[in-house]
Amino acid sequence: MSDTRVPRRRRFLVCEPRHFAVRYSINPWMHPDTPVDVDLAQEQWHGLISAYRAHGHDVDTVEPVPGLPDMVFAANSAVVVDGRVFGSLFHAPERRPESRHYETWFTSAGYPVHRPRSVCEGEGDLVWTGRFILAGTGFRTTRDAHREAQEVLGHPVIGLTLVDPYFYHLDTALFVLDDDNVAYYPEAFSPGSREVLARLYPDAVLATREDALAFGLNSVSDGRHVFIAPRAEALAARVAEHGYVPVPVDLSELHKAGGGIKCCTQEIR
């Protein structure tokens, strides 16, 4: 079946983890007393970029800024749909300066940026499906930001409530496989949100908690290739059964800050 899946060339925006560290704790994964190997983080990150380029994708970079250790998680900076950029307003004060640097990049590249009035953490919680935007709330991005995003981006926004603090962003609990399907961990969502997802995606690939804790759902798909954490072996097998091709990429050092492949990857559409 994998021969019937067609990849689509993507354009990604990323930021090297040159200043990566865990200096504060804003999610359950972060422990400032845990040592971080910056050289290993950079080596793993470069492996991700090499994998993207080897599969035909374009990659742009934002210059990392000293004192902003989480700037590597580019997905949180904005969501881009049809050339419209809906920026970020981070929940944690420590991350709020990141927005300005990403906004400068987008503006320089010719993309006007809308600054949200409410807390919104970009593609961390706003996931474009090709038809509408799935929008997470419960820990970071607010429902007011969902409404604001719909007005700015001009596409329907479907709100989903996250209930497990380990999956504080939507992109830790769900990722888009292609224009027709997603993979997700049901128990990360409220009962009503699980019903919504089941109605929207009756053939979705369902993940276990072990898959999700391995950052298996913080993945990126081009419609055929799924860039996925190596430890999410069961999820990779299920994805393969559905005709996709898993591409394992190890970002385990970045997991110490609660981020993985998708967190490091902003898509420009």
Side-chain angles (χ1 to χ4, degrees):
M1 184 189 295
S2 61
D3 289 341
T4 66
R5 302 290 183 190
V6 179
R8 187 170 74 243
R9 186 172 182 172
R10 307 297 177 96
R11 183 184 180 192
F12 299 133
L13 181 63
V14 299
C15 181
E16 182 184 357
R18 196 180 307 156
H19 309 294
F20 178 64
V22 179
R23 296 177 181 166
Y24 43 79
S25 180
I26 57 174
N27 66 56
W29 301 94
M30 301 179 80
H31 303 284
D33 56 342
T34 300
V36 170
D37 187 334
V38 179
D39 290 337
L40 177 58
Q42 291 189 88
E43 178 184 336
Q44 292 179 342
W45 180 88
H46 281 289
L48 174 64
I49 306 314
S50 295
Y52 284 153
R53 288 178 170 151
H55 287 83
H57 303 302
D58 299 316
V59 180
D60 292 293
T61 58
V62 171
E63 184 68 14
V65 177
L68 297 179
D70 284 339
M71 199 170 165
V72 61
F73 301 127
N76 303 154
S77 67
V79 60
V80 185
V81 181
D82 299 332
R84 301 182 188 182
V85 181
F86 188 77
S88 60
L89 175 60
F90 286 93
H91 181 269
E94 294 91 340
R95 296 199 65 186
R96 290 192 172 183
E98 296 175 32
S99 300
R100 182 176 70 257
H101 297 287
Y102 279 99
E103 181 177 333
T104 297
W105 187 93
F106 279 114
T107 302
S108 299
Y111 296 90
V113 178
H114 175 87
R115 296 178 179 176
R117 295 185 296 273
S118 303
V119 169
C120 181
E121 300 203 348
E123 284 190 331
D125 276 322
L126 300 178
V127 176
W128 173 243
T129 68
R131 293 178 291 161
F132 44 76
I133 296 167
L134 296 176
T137 192
F139 297 100
R140 302 289 183 85
T141 299
T142 66
R143 291 195 180 276
D144 285 342
H146 294 182
R147 291 188 284 269
E148 191 178 352
Q150 180 168 279
E151 289 301 311
V152 171
L153 299 174
H155 289 281
V157 172
I158 298 173
L160 301 169
T161 300
L162 297 161
V163 296
D164 188 323
Y166 278 92
F167 311 112
Y168 55 91
H169 275 155
L170 183 58
D171 73 358
T172 65
L174 175 151
F175 75 94
V176 173
L177 286 161
D178 54 31
D179 289 347
D180 299 313
N181 210 3
V182 302
Y184 68 97
Y185 168 49
E187 284 71 26
F189 298 91
S190 68
S193 296
R194 291 200 295 271
E195 287 190 39
V196 169
L197 286 169
R199 291 178 186 275
L200 289 173
Y201 298 104
D203 298 318
V205 177
L206 301 183
T208 64
R209 184 173 179 82
E210 289 72 26
D211 292 326
L213 288 172
F215 288 84
L217 292 163
N218 197 240
S219 296
V220 171
S221 172
D222 64 13
R224 174 178 169 83
H225 307 102
V226 176
F227 303 88
I228 190 169
R231 286 179 51 233
E233 295 179 0
L235 179 58
R238 284 191 291 276
V239 163
E241 289 170 1
H242 282 70
Y244 304 92
V245 179
V247 180
V249 180
D250 183 11
L251 289 187
S252 54
E253 197 63 16
L254 294 172
H255 294 177
K256 294 177 180 179
I261 292 169
K262 176 56 193 172
C263 287
C264 292
T265 310
Q266 166 71 236
E267 184 170 354
I268 302 174
R269 304 172 183 86

